[in-house]
Amino acid sequence: MSGPNAPAVQDNAVVDLPTGFPLGSSPVAAELADRFHAAGHRLYLVGGSVRDALLGRLSGDLDFTTDARPPQILALLKGWADAIWDTGIAFGTVGAGKHGQTVEITTFRADSYDGVSRNPEVTFGDSIEGDLVRRDFTANAMAYDLVGRQLIDPTGGRRALRERVLDTPATPQESFSDDPLRMLRAARFASQLGFTVAPRVREAMAAMAGELGRITAERVQVELSKLLTGAHPRAGVELVVDAKLADVVLPELPAMKLEIDEHHQHKDVYTHSLTVLDQAIDLEEGPEPDLVLRLAALLHDIGKPATRRFEEGGGVSFHHHEVVGAKMVRKRLRALKYSKDITEDVAQLVYLHLRFHGYGGGEWTDSAVRRYVTDAEHLLPRLHKLVRADCTTRNRRKANALQRTYDDLERRIERIAAEEDLKRVRPDLDGNEIMRLLGLPPGPLVGRAWKFLKELRLDRGPLDHDEAVAELLAWARAEGVEPPAE
């Protein structure tokens, strides 16, 4: 890989370990290094493992590269590893587990790509430098010699880390032609690491965005998910949109960019959605990012462009955009091969995110509160966060009033839940008792009776047994079903 704009590659660019560099402290890495060295092979920690260690964020899984060929790697791992898997052996990669840690070892590569798919035509290399210069970004093009305890950095990766810049070892045009997924990976690293993208890389991304059409939906989805669950997802999303990648993989985002939000005239829908994403993240609880909440926050208003109407007098309306948006979310997330659970959860949050605005000054009946909780089901904690995050007005008095109103709704939910166990709202009679009382076999009519009793439960709260029986019998007679004589 070479070109007039490529970073200068330093021959034998070897530097001493920085003080406190943690990679040498891994017993698994040390054991592997000794094993490969004794067999006459070189073994290096490489890529993200080295990058993260230099950033002080060493992960549990380690990636290695070696001059040993795959059969030799397998032979060296046998008798040492607790588990071995060779699903990637066609690409030169062997995985192993030891002491609860996962490692991957890959033979030096000198890949070329076919220019149609993202699949490499695997060619094994003979030098660590040759392996490093074919990698995606200079920050990932470093290796650590475990025996010599030296860092090998032929393309200025440490400088890139210091400057927090993503650049490519080759020209970005060469790199992205080889593997277009690297464009999305740049946005993912912007999110995960907080790095900026070199101007030439950004220009190449915008010019070559269409090449992402060669990438499978599953691979795109993985990168988008990692982007959204990074530490700085807004930066990653903005890069995806500005560099035209979203036009290919998530076109609903740029479609929002010029649409004016009727509640927030100072912002368009796209900017508003980014702010909601930021605010939803601030409300997350626990150590792990919430992908479902973040997807819902980013996509909650994607139905607005399709529902925009200009009203007389200069107003703008987006009636039923939550209904349209939920359908759009399902279509897009299915196309991206998200799981059924994630797709349905995000769509339901989008569908419900406006429901609260009917609460007004607390006019909802207890029945309406029960329905809100029942419709949200397990998503209620996320819905609370999404609704609160959706308040982006600059009018502090209005914002505080909305938050106080939602506080009131949450208190009512807690009160009713304590009295009625809302998490388990069920009819006061179960299916077996419905069949016994009505003399019915299992079938659709029993389901309709069950649904009637559930609606009654939502409207009126818990009924005592005799009252529930009387209501069921009256419903059955109205439906033309004559209960058996006692």
Side-chain angles (χ1 to χ4, degrees), residues 60-364:
D61 297 340
L62 300 175
D63 295 324
F64 298 86
T65 189
T66 179
D67 60 338
R69 282 353 189 207
Q72 296 169 314
I73 297 173
L74 282 171
L76 286 166
L77 291 176
K78 288 179 180 176
W80 173 84
D82 299 329
I84 299 173
W85 50 94
D86 60 2
T87 52
I89 199 166
F91 300 102
T93 299
V94 178
K98 180 72 171 180
H99 303 319
Q101 190 163 39
T102 300
V103 301
E104 284 193 348
I105 305 172
T106 302
T107 301
F108 293 158
R109 297 266 286 268
D111 297 340
S112 61
Y113 289 74
D114 59 20
V116 177
S117 72
R118 72 170 301 274
N119 296 322
E121 299 170 355
V122 177
T123 304
F124 297 133
D126 296 311
S127 72
I128 183 61
E129 291 81 10
D131 179 273
L132 293 176
V133 297
R134 57 158 288 279
R135 292 179 177 266
D136 51 4
F137 301 105
T138 57
N140 296 329
M142 293 179 285
Y144 173 47
D145 181 346
L146 287 154
V147 174
R149 296 183 61 79
Q150 290 179 313
L151 191 68
I152 301 172
D153 179 16
T155 64
R158 289 186 72 193
R159 182 178 67 250
L161 291 184
R162 284 195 303 270
E163 298 174 358
R164 307 187 75 79
V165 171
L166 282 172
D167 204 348
T168 51
T171 65
Q173 289 79 9
E174 290 176 273
S175 182
F176 299 155
S177 292
D178 281 349
D179 183 1
L181 190 66
R182 289 172 172 174
M183 292 185 281
L184 265 185
R185 199 172 293 138
R188 188 243 291 183
F189 286 136
S191 169
Q192 289 181 327
L193 304 175
F195 282 24
T196 59
V197 175
R200 69 178 194 143
V201 172
R202 183 183 290 266
E203 292 170 6
M205 290 167 67
M208 301 177 67
E211 294 295 307
L212 277 175
R214 293 161 41 191
I215 307 301
T216 64
E218 290 86 352
R219 295 293 295 160
V220 169
Q221 180 244 103
V222 168
E223 291 299 327
L224 286 176
S225 296
K226 289 180 178 179
L227 184 161
L228 284 172
T229 53
H232 313 278
R234 179 169 185 156
V237 171
E238 289 177 328
L239 180 57
V240 165
V241 171
D242 293 346
K244 310 299 182 184
L245 306 183
D247 292 355
V248 180
V249 300
L250 198 56
E252 294 82 0
L253 280 181
M256 292 191 291
K257 199 164 188 179
L258 299 179
E259 305 298 336
I260 302 300
D261 185 299
E262 81 277 24
H263 297 303
H264 310 280
Q265 293 292 338
H266 58 285
K267 298 175 182 175
D268 62 25
V269 176
Y270 169 71
T271 303
H272 164 71
S273 298
L274 292 177
T275 302
V276 174
L277 173 63
D278 287 338
Q279 295 184 168
I281 291 169
D282 289 341
L283 295 172
E284 286 181 349
E285 300 169 352
E288 297 299 322
D290 188 337
L291 177 61
V292 168
L293 177 62
R294 294 183 183 200
L295 279 166
L298 183 63
L299 302 177
H300 74 285
D301 275 347
I302 66 169
K304 281 190 170 180
T307 58
R308 183 177 64 167
R309 298 292 182 271
F310 295 104
E311 307 291 349
E312 291 185 10
V316 182
S317 67
F318 300 90
H319 296 308
H320 305 302
H321 75 268
E322 75 281 11
V323 178
V324 173
K327 292 178 180 178
M328 293 172 66
V329 162
R330 284 190 180 91
K331 182 177 180 180
R332 177 53 54 195
L333 296 191
R334 286 169 182 164
L336 289 169
K337 307 299 183 183
Y338 276 97
S339 71
K340 181 179 178 181
D341 286 345
I342 289 177
T343 298
E344 290 305 312
D345 284 353
V346 175
Q348 184 69 352
L349 286 170
V350 171
Y351 177 72
L352 292 174
H353 83 275
L354 279 187
R355 180 81 63 86
F356 160 71
H357 293 285
Y359 188 72
E363 293 88 355
W364 276 4

